[in-house]
Amino acid sequence: MSKAYTRDYWEEVLTALEPEGRHFIDGEHRAAATGETFTRPRPMDGKPGPTVSRGRAADIDAAVKSARTAFESGVWRKKEPLEKKKIMLKWADLIRTHGEELAMLETLDVGKPIMASLNVDVRLCADGIQFYGEMIDKLYDEIAPTGPNARALVRKVPLGVIGVITPWNYPMIIDAWKLGPAIAAGNSVVLKPAEQSSLTAIRLASLAVEAGLPAGVFNVVTGYGEETGKPLALHMDVDMIAFTGSTEVGKLIMGYAAQSNVKRVALELGGKSPLVVFEDADLDAAASAVAWGCFYNSGETCHASTRLIVQRSVRDVLIAKIEAVTKSDIALGHPLEPATQIGALIEEAHMDKVLALIAAGEKEGARRAFGAERVMTETGGFYVSPGVFVDMTNDMSLARQEIFGPVLAAIAFDTEEEALRIANDTIYGLAGAVFTKDMDRAHRFSEAIHAGTVWINTYDMSNFATPFGGFKQSGFGRDRSVHAIDKYCDYKTIWQQFG
Ligand code: NAP
């Protein structure tokens, strides 16, 4: 029987929590070399949050050294595949058994609803580690075609030390998308989480060691992007940076790779995803998909359906349905209330940015249909209600910029050609969707929308078997699926000549 969670229960979990904020290097917690720390206000109520180590280049050096030593020693990469698999599966189990603790750490850091942290973020993190753990003893190398007197092995070998830099919107899930394949492939990792979301990364590392992952294979250095992420990306002994974050910082990461050792880079970046609704669509299904697709996680989702491109004849009725779904199903509230569906934004500065973009949009002529206002100020936290803007054109800032808040831009169209042109008129290419009952049109659109994922008559459905990532300035390289392993490996040819 599933547990009946209450607000009081979660308040007790929070009171009992003792978050560990130090780095995790070479199998143990370590304070920053300088001894420096930082704290930030809790998104849920603005009170001071836990203390976290403020890493700098010296801490990155220590972590990279530990990762390199573990890699060269072969303590992980040369282990029997079955043994490695068992350790990764145990790690996934430990994530599940510590689910409430991890969920609370995530909610404390980022302000998302505790039940979402538990039922979505913890679950998908454990599933990700398990998915790649299960692959370990099923990966084969190749024998290439040759003449009769030769044997050419094409081996898939790990790269070495992988620097992982992640954002704050889905910290545990995105960490797992990268840690799973990188570690399953035999690499060592140094993870720099976003300064806003350090706690679950640190705990994932200590659980990995508890599961049997050798010291040094997975290290975490916390701190600010410029002080911690930059030295990691510039490091001469790091073989690859796997990055998820903004397009702006992604471009810097490419530059750091070029300035240092030509390390590989994989970038999962921003989005401004179109969701196209034709007049023949099931409008109830479309309204629900639009509302959840745009407002889930307070709109702090890279592939959020932030641009609704709707046939003019059904625009008003669809907007009314979106408003009804939003108000009845997507409860905004305190993150520790079990019924809350969307919680706080990550921090005050981000909330101010979202509100400023809304104000700029209104100045440009966008009309507020509902919501998109600061609410729950009495809590001391950072809350904005989900909202929709209409009378929009695709050149307005609300339609072009990644707002990363619960704000939908609705743009009307008259013809299929116009809808497709608007959908693809963006610098991003992360995701998109089309709602129509005409399957020929659905097929045409799914092929023509230039994005890494296109949904037909649904939004945000996925599993670990499907790759995720973007085209254009949404980046390159794919997380999830069996293909994700490839980017953490290289091919090595061993040619043997006989007689
Ligand atoms: P961000 O500002 O780009 O930060 C991402 C990470 O990069 C953080 O760990 C950040 O550290 C670090 N960083 C910042 N400046 C750096 C520098 N100069 N050198 C090295 N590292 C640096 O992004 P965010 O605000 O955390 O996350 C939101 C963005 O992520 C959105 O654009 C969203 O679309 C994108 N995202 C994309 C995907 C995807 O799969 N495509 C998924 C989720 C999110 P600090 O936190 O300390 O600054």
Side-chain angles (χ1 to χ4, degrees):
M1 210 173 68
S2 65
K3 208 163 175 172
Y5 288 106
T6 61
R7 170 81 181 259
D8 286 349
Y9 178 81
W10 287 119
E11 292 284 0
E12 280 170 27
V13 174
L14 178 58
T15 306
L17 201 67
E18 290 176 8
E20 173 58 73
R22 289 173 296 167
H23 307 320
F24 194 82
I25 298 175
D26 211 20
E28 59 184 28
H29 294 290
R30 275 191 211 171
T34 60
E36 290 172 290
T37 58
F38 66 97
T39 57
R40 41 183 296 281
R42 310 186 327 186
M44 66 171 83
D45 54 15
K47 291 180 183 160
T51 301
V52 174
S53 290
R54 182 170 173 175
R56 293 183 185 267
D59 304 292
I60 289 292
D61 282 343
V64 172
K65 193 170 169 209
S66 158
R68 175 62 63 192
T69 304
F71 183 76
E72 295 302 337
S73 74
V75 65
W76 176 245
R77 81 188 145 99
K78 291 185 181 168
K79 214 182 251 315
E80 284 292 326
L82 191 61
E83 287 305 307
K84 283 194 278 194
K85 178 171 95 169
K86 281 183 186 160
I87 290 170
M88 296 247 336
L89 295 188
K90 185 162 180 210
W91 185 17
D93 279 347
L94 284 173
I95 292 168
R96 291 188 184 103
T97 50
H98 289 77
E100 290 185 4
E101 176 198 352
L102 283 162
M104 186 55 77
L105 292 172
E106 200 83 308
T107 289
L108 181 59
D109 256 347
V110 305
K112 68 173 73 191
I114 187 70
M115 297 311 294
S117 294
L118 183 67
N119 294 329
V120 180
D121 299 68
V122 170
R123 178 173 61 82
L124 292 180
C125 175
D127 288 353
I129 299 299
Q130 178 173 335
F131 183 91
Y132 292 102
E134 283 169 348
M135 277 183 69
I136 291 178
D137 61 348
K138 297 165 193 74
L139 294 171
Y140 290 80
D141 291 328
E142 296 168 4
I143 298 179
T146 60
N149 292 332
R151 185 168 58 205
L153 306 180
V154 182
R155 299 257 297 114
K156 225 183 229 187
V157 294
L159 295 176
V161 176
I162 312 292
V164 172
I165 302 179
T166 48
W168 46 259
N169 58 341
Y170 294 95
M172 265 187 289
I173 296 176
I174 294 172
D175 289 350
W177 285 2
K178 298 181 190 311
L179 297 171
I183 293 176
N187 298 286
S188 298
V189 169
V190 177
L191 166 64
K192 191 296 237 206
E195 80 206 33
Q196 297 89 342
S197 56
S198 310
L199 302 178
T200 49
I202 297 168
R203 190 66 181 116
L204 287 178
S206 59
L207 290 175
V209 167
E210 195 179 324
L213 196 74
V217 176
F218 174 24
N219 307 273
V220 176
V221 181
T222 55
Y224 296 107
E226 273 279 320
E227 297 173 358
T228 318
K230 184 175 176 181
L232 180 61
L234 280 170
H235 207 287
M236 295 300 286
D237 203 24
V238 170
D239 299 288
M240 174 184 174
I241 294 289
F243 173 83
T244 296
S246 61
T247 297
E248 190 189 352
V249 177
K251 289 178 183 177
L252 292 177
I253 300 289
M254 286 186 90
Y256 300 150
Q259 287 160 40
S260 53
N261 58 345
V262 205
K263 58 176 66 66
R264 282 159 197 232
V265 172
L267 302 176
E268 299 286 357
L269 308 176
K272 193 75 194 173
S273 299
L275 192 158
V276 181
V277 180
F278 285 94
E279 62 188 1
D280 67 340
D282 175 340
L283 294 184
D284 290 320
S288 177
V290 172
W292 284 104
C294 187
F295 302 144
Y296 183 71
N297 211 42
S298 302
E300 295 171 329
T301 300
C302 50
H303 60 279
S305 54
T306 48
R307 284 188 303 142
L308 167 64
I309 302 168
V310 54
Q311 198 149 11
R312 198 176 305 275
S313 52
V314 293
R315 186 193 71 172
D316 292 348
V317 63
L318 184 64
I319 299 294
K321 284 176 185 289
I322 293 169
E323 182 170 5
V325 171
T326 303
K327 291 186 172 159
S328 66
D329 294 0
I330 308 183
L332 172 72
H334 193 284
L336 298 189
E337 281 293 348
T340 294
Q341 298 285 0
I342 55 173
L345 293 180
I346 186 73
E347 58 193 4
E348 189 166 17
H350 182 63
M351 179 185 66
D352 290 346
K353 187 181 136 203
V354 169
L355 295 172
L357 276 166
I358 291 169
E362 285 187 300
K363 258 196 183 154
E364 288 174 27
R367 180 169 61 83
R368 187 191 306 255
F370 67 90
E373 289 162 326
R374 182 167 187 197
V375 290
M376 293 172 60
T377 44
E378 70 287 357
T379 60
F382 317 120
Y383 300 85
V384 171
S385 61
V388 174
F389 283 86
V390 292
D391 294 348
M392 293 212 38
T393 55
N394 199 47
D395 54 1
M396 290 179 174
S397 50
L398 285 180
R400 300 212 80 79
Q401 292 197 34
E402 191 185 33
I403 303 167
F404 236 54
V407 182
L408 177 73
I411 303 158
F413 71 87
D414 295 302
T415 64
E416 187 175 321
E417 295 67 34
E418 190 188 3
L420 182 61
R421 185 182 48 72
I422 297 170
N424 282 333
D425 179 16
T426 167
I427 61 165
Y428 298 112
L430 193 52
V434 57
F435 277 72
T436 177
K437 289 195 180 119
D438 176 343
M439 282 303 118
D440 288 341
R441 180 158 61 193
H443 176 67
R444 276 196 303 279
F445 253 72
S446 62
E447 293 289 330
I449 292 179
H450 196 45
T453 301
V454 180
W455 289 283
I456 297 173
N457 293 331
T458 187
Y459 204 81
D460 201 15
M461 297 301 290
S462 65
N463 63 23
F464 270 95
T466 54
F468 181 79
F471 294 156
K472 303 200 281 186
Q473 292 191 38
S474 291
F476 51 84
R478 291 291 180 268
D479 285 329
R480 293 200 323 231
S481 85
V482 294
H483 304 292
I485 290 263
D486 291 347
K487 68 178 189 246
Y488 299 103
C489 295
D490 212 339
Y491 291 107
K492 177 171 185 173
T493 301
I494 300 174
W495 183 290
Q496 191 176 6
Q497 196 69 36
F498 303 102

mmCIF file of all heavy atoms in Angstrom, residues 86-109:
data_model
loop_
_atom_site.group_PDB
_atom_site.id
_atom_site.type_symbol
_atom_site.label_atom_id
_atom_site.label_comp_id
_atom_site.label_asym_id
_atom_site.label_seq_id
_atom_site.Cartn_x
_atom_site.Cartn_y
_atom_site.Cartn_z
ATOM 1 N N LYS A 86 26.513 -5.089 -11.312
ATOM 2 C CA LYS A 86 25.929 -5.264 -9.972
ATOM 3 C C LYS A 86 26.069 -3.982 -9.152
ATOM 4 O O LYS A 86 25.157 -3.596 -8.410
ATOM 5 C CB LYS A 86 26.632 -6.414 -9.240
ATOM 6 C CG LYS A 86 26.160 -7.785 -9.674
ATOM 7 C CD LYS A 86 26.873 -8.844 -8.840
ATOM 8 C CE LYS A 86 26.556 -10.239 -9.336
ATOM 9 N NZ LYS A 86 27.554 -11.216 -8.879
ATOM 10 N N ILE A 87 27.216 -3.333 -9.268
ATOM 11 C CA ILE A 87 27.438 -2.102 -8.494
ATOM 12 C C ILE A 87 26.480 -0.996 -8.951
ATOM 13 O O ILE A 87 25.861 -0.306 -8.138
ATOM 14 C CB ILE A 87 28.915 -1.666 -8.603
ATOM 15 C CG1 ILE A 87 29.791 -2.667 -7.825
ATOM 16 C CG2 ILE A 87 29.121 -0.240 -8.109
ATOM 17 C CD1 ILE A 87 31.281 -2.508 -8.029
ATOM 18 N N MET A 88 26.330 -0.856 -10.264
ATOM 19 C CA MET A 88 25.418 0.201 -10.755
ATOM 20 C C MET A 88 23.971 -0.105 -10.352
ATOM 21 O O MET A 88 23.218 0.816 -10.010
ATOM 22 C CB MET A 88 25.525 0.348 -12.280
ATOM 23 C CG MET A 88 26.889 0.797 -12.717
ATOM 24 S SD MET A 88 27.179 2.400 -13.456
ATOM 25 C CE MET A 88 25.833 3.069 -14.201
ATOM 26 N N LEU A 89 23.604 -1.376 -10.380
ATOM 27 C CA LEU A 89 22.216 -1.701 -9.993
ATOM 28 C C LEU A 89 22.004 -1.461 -8.498
ATOM 29 O O LEU A 89 20.935 -1.022 -8.065
ATOM 30 C CB LEU A 89 21.877 -3.152 -10.371
ATOM 31 C CG LEU A 89 21.872 -3.452 -11.880
ATOM 32 C CD1 LEU A 89 21.332 -4.853 -12.160
ATOM 33 C CD2 LEU A 89 21.070 -2.431 -12.661
ATOM 34 N N LYS A 90 23.051 -1.745 -7.713
ATOM 35 C CA LYS A 90 22.936 -1.487 -6.270
ATOM 36 C C LYS A 90 22.814 0.026 -6.020
ATOM 37 O O LYS A 90 22.047 0.465 -5.158
ATOM 38 C CB LYS A 90 24.148 -2.073 -5.535
ATOM 39 C CG LYS A 90 24.026 -1.939 -4.040
ATOM 40 C CD LYS A 90 24.937 -2.854 -3.283
ATOM 41 C CE LYS A 90 24.736 -2.625 -1.794
ATOM 42 N NZ LYS A 90 25.929 -2.889 -1.012
ATOM 43 N N TRP A 91 23.580 0.773 -6.786
ATOM 44 C CA TRP A 91 23.510 2.241 -6.676
ATOM 45 C C TRP A 91 22.073 2.709 -6.971
ATOM 46 O O TRP A 91 21.493 3.512 -6.215
ATOM 47 C CB TRP A 91 24.516 2.844 -7.658
ATOM 48 C CG TRP A 91 24.671 4.326 -7.607
ATOM 49 C CD1 TRP A 91 24.276 5.166 -6.611
ATOM 50 C CD2 TRP A 91 25.284 5.147 -8.615
ATOM 51 N NE1 TRP A 91 24.607 6.464 -6.935
ATOM 52 C CE2 TRP A 91 25.223 6.479 -8.143
ATOM 53 C CE3 TRP A 91 25.890 4.895 -9.839
ATOM 54 C CZ2 TRP A 91 25.739 7.544 -8.891
ATOM 55 C CZ3 TRP A 91 26.400 5.951 -10.575
ATOM 56 C CH2 TRP A 91 26.329 7.261 -10.104
ATOM 57 N N ALA A 92 21.488 2.175 -8.043
ATOM 58 C CA ALA A 92 20.101 2.555 -8.376
ATOM 59 C C ALA A 92 19.163 2.190 -7.221
ATOM 60 O O ALA A 92 18.271 2.974 -6.863
ATOM 61 C CB ALA A 92 19.666 1.857 -9.665
ATOM 62 N N ASP A 93 19.373 1.033 -6.621
ATOM 63 C CA ASP A 93 18.510 0.622 -5.496
ATOM 64 C C ASP A 93 18.678 1.559 -4.310
ATOM 65 O O ASP A 93 17.707 1.927 -3.646
ATOM 66 C CB ASP A 93 18.874 -0.806 -5.047
ATOM 67 C CG ASP A 93 18.217 -1.831 -5.950
ATOM 68 O OD1 ASP A 93 17.322 -1.445 -6.716
ATOM 69 O OD2 ASP A 93 18.628 -3.000 -5.909
ATOM 70 N N LEU A 94 19.923 1.950 -4.043
ATOM 71 C CA LEU A 94 20.166 2.866 -2.916
ATOM 72 C C LEU A 94 19.494 4.226 -3.155
ATOM 73 O O LEU A 94 18.999 4.859 -2.225
ATOM 74 C CB LEU A 94 21.669 3.057 -2.696
ATOM 75 C CG LEU A 94 22.389 1.890 -2.014
ATOM 76 C CD1 LEU A 94 23.907 2.121 -2.013
ATOM 77 C CD2 LEU A 94 21.888 1.716 -0.585
ATOM 78 N N ILE A 95 19.495 4.648 -4.410
ATOM 79 C CA ILE A 95 18.810 5.920 -4.733
ATOM 80 C C ILE A 95 17.327 5.782 -4.390
ATOM 81 O O ILE A 95 16.712 6.680 -3.797
ATOM 82 C CB ILE A 95 19.018 6.285 -6.224
ATOM 83 C CG1 ILE A 95 20.493 6.638 -6.457
ATOM 84 C CG2 ILE A 95 18.106 7.438 -6.658
ATOM 85 C CD1 ILE A 95 20.899 6.737 -7.922
ATOM 86 N N ARG A 96 16.774 4.627 -4.714
ATOM 87 C CA ARG A 96 15.331 4.418 -4.423
ATOM 88 C C ARG A 96 15.101 4.346 -2.911
ATOM 89 O O ARG A 96 14.157 4.955 -2.399
ATOM 90 C CB ARG A 96 14.845 3.134 -5.093
ATOM 91 C CG ARG A 96 14.812 3.247 -6.603
ATOM 92 C CD ARG A 96 14.150 2.061 -7.281
ATOM 93 N NE ARG A 96 14.259 2.217 -8.721
ATOM 94 C CZ ARG A 96 15.123 1.553 -9.491
ATOM 95 N NH1 ARG A 96 15.936 0.648 -8.981
ATOM 96 N NH2 ARG A 96 15.177 1.793 -10.785
ATOM 97 N N THR A 97 15.963 3.610 -2.190
ATOM 98 C CA THR A 97 15.695 3.471 -0.749
ATOM 99 C C THR A 97 15.947 4.787 0.003
ATOM 100 O O THR A 97 15.389 5.005 1.062
ATOM 101 C CB THR A 97 16.525 2.327 -0.109
ATOM 102 O OG1 THR A 97 17.870 2.485 -0.484
ATOM 103 C CG2 THR A 97 16.028 0.971 -0.510
ATOM 104 N N HIS A 98 16.768 5.656 -0.568
ATOM 105 C CA HIS A 98 16.967 6.987 0.024
ATOM 106 C C HIS A 98 16.121 8.030 -0.696
ATOM 107 O O HIS A 98 16.443 9.221 -0.682
ATOM 108 C CB HIS A 98 18.445 7.377 -0.029
ATOM 109 C CG HIS A 98 19.302 6.596 0.910
ATOM 110 N ND1 HIS A 98 19.696 5.309 0.651
ATOM 111 C CD2 HIS A 98 19.805 6.894 2.128
ATOM 112 C CE1 HIS A 98 20.421 4.849 1.651
ATOM 113 N NE2 HIS A 98 20.495 5.795 2.564
ATOM 114 N N GLY A 99 15.032 7.585 -1.314
ATOM 115 C CA GLY A 99 14.215 8.461 -2.160
ATOM 116 C C GLY A 99 13.650 9.671 -1.433
ATOM 117 O O GLY A 99 13.687 10.783 -1.958
ATOM 118 N N GLU A 100 13.152 9.470 -0.228
ATOM 119 C CA GLU A 100 12.535 10.608 0.482
ATOM 120 C C GLU A 100 13.596 11.655 0.829
ATOM 121 O O GLU A 100 13.365 12.863 0.710
ATOM 122 C CB GLU A 100 11.835 10.121 1.752
ATOM 123 C CG GLU A 100 10.599 9.301 1.434
ATOM 124 C CD GLU A 100 9.823 8.908 2.678
ATOM 125 O OE1 GLU A 100 10.201 9.329 3.793
ATOM 126 O OE2 GLU A 100 8.841 8.164 2.540
ATOM 127 N N GLU A 101 14.755 11.175 1.262
ATOM 128 C CA GLU A 101 15.843 12.106 1.595
ATOM 129 C C GLU A 101 16.283 12.889 0.345
ATOM 130 O O GLU A 101 16.417 14.118 0.380
ATOM 131 C CB GLU A 101 17.024 11.292 2.157
ATOM 132 C CG GLU A 101 18.249 12.116 2.456
ATOM 133 C CD GLU A 101 19.516 11.259 2.590
ATOM 134 O OE1 GLU A 101 19.407 10.014 2.604
ATOM 135 O OE2 GLU A 101 20.596 11.862 2.650
ATOM 136 N N LEU A 102 16.502 12.153 -0.759
ATOM 137 C CA LEU A 102 16.942 12.820 -1.995
ATOM 138 C C LEU A 102 15.873 13.799 -2.482
ATOM 139 O O LEU A 102 16.193 14.912 -2.929
ATOM 140 C CB LEU A 102 17.236 11.774 -3.073
ATOM 141 C CG LEU A 102 18.563 11.036 -2.903
ATOM 142 C CD1 LEU A 102 18.574 9.752 -3.726
ATOM 143 C CD2 LEU A 102 19.744 11.915 -3.307
ATOM 144 N N ALA A 103 14.611 13.377 -2.383
ATOM 145 C CA ALA A 103 13.524 14.260 -2.830
ATOM 146 C C ALA A 103 13.531 15.551 -2.011
ATOM 147 O O ALA A 103 13.376 16.650 -2.547
ATOM 148 C CB ALA A 103 12.184 13.540 -2.701
ATOM 149 N N MET A 104 13.744 15.414 -0.695
ATOM 150 C CA MET A 104 13.729 16.608 0.157
ATOM 151 C C MET A 104 14.931 17.512 -0.154
ATOM 152 O O MET A 104 14.800 18.751 -0.180
ATOM 153 C CB MET A 104 13.713 16.205 1.635
ATOM 154 C CG MET A 104 13.542 17.386 2.575
ATOM 155 S SD MET A 104 12.076 18.388 2.210
ATOM 156 C CE MET A 104 10.797 17.368 2.906
ATOM 157 N N LEU A 105 16.089 16.908 -0.394
ATOM 158 C CA LEU A 105 17.263 17.724 -0.748
ATOM 159 C C LEU A 105 16.981 18.512 -2.029
ATOM 160 O O LEU A 105 17.318 19.701 -2.141
ATOM 161 C CB LEU A 105 18.484 16.825 -0.950
ATOM 162 C CG LEU A 105 19.040 16.134 0.302
ATOM 163 C CD1 LEU A 105 20.118 15.121 -0.067
ATOM 164 C CD2 LEU A 105 19.612 17.159 1.294
ATOM 165 N N GLU A 106 16.347 17.853 -3.001
ATOM 166 C CA GLU A 106 16.072 18.520 -4.273
ATOM 167 C C GLU A 106 15.070 19.662 -4.085
ATOM 168 O O GLU A 106 15.252 20.771 -4.591
ATOM 169 C CB GLU A 106 15.519 17.483 -5.266
ATOM 170 C CG GLU A 106 15.627 17.901 -6.715
ATOM 171 C CD GLU A 106 17.003 17.617 -7.299
ATOM 172 O OE1 GLU A 106 18.015 18.039 -6.685
ATOM 173 O OE2 GLU A 106 17.089 16.996 -8.366
ATOM 174 N N THR A 107 14.004 19.375 -3.330
ATOM 175 C CA THR A 107 12.974 20.397 -3.109
ATOM 176 C C THR A 107 13.534 21.578 -2.317
ATOM 177 O O THR A 107 13.231 22.741 -2.587
ATOM 178 C CB THR A 107 11.762 19.755 -2.402
ATOM 179 O OG1 THR A 107 11.106 18.915 -3.358
ATOM 180 C CG2 THR A 107 10.777 20.785 -1.893
ATOM 181 N N LEU A 108 14.363 21.275 -1.335
ATOM 182 C CA LEU A 108 14.991 22.325 -0.537
ATOM 183 C C LEU A 108 15.833 23.248 -1.429
ATOM 184 O O LEU A 108 15.781 24.474 -1.311
ATOM 185 C CB LEU A 108 15.883 21.640 0.514
ATOM 186 C CG LEU A 108 16.638 22.481 1.505
ATOM 187 C CD1 LEU A 108 15.685 23.321 2.317
ATOM 188 C CD2 LEU A 108 17.467 21.573 2.431
ATOM 189 N N ASP A 109 16.576 22.643 -2.345
ATOM 190 C CA ASP A 109 17.445 23.422 -3.225
ATOM 191 C C ASP A 109 16.662 24.208 -4.271
ATOM 192 O O ASP A 109 16.946 25.381 -4.511
ATOM 193 C CB ASP A 109 18.395 22.469 -3.979
ATOM 194 C CG ASP A 109 19.812 22.501 -3.413
ATOM 195 O OD1 ASP A 109 20.133 23.410 -2.630
ATOM 196 O OD2 ASP A 109 20.610 21.617 -3.787
#
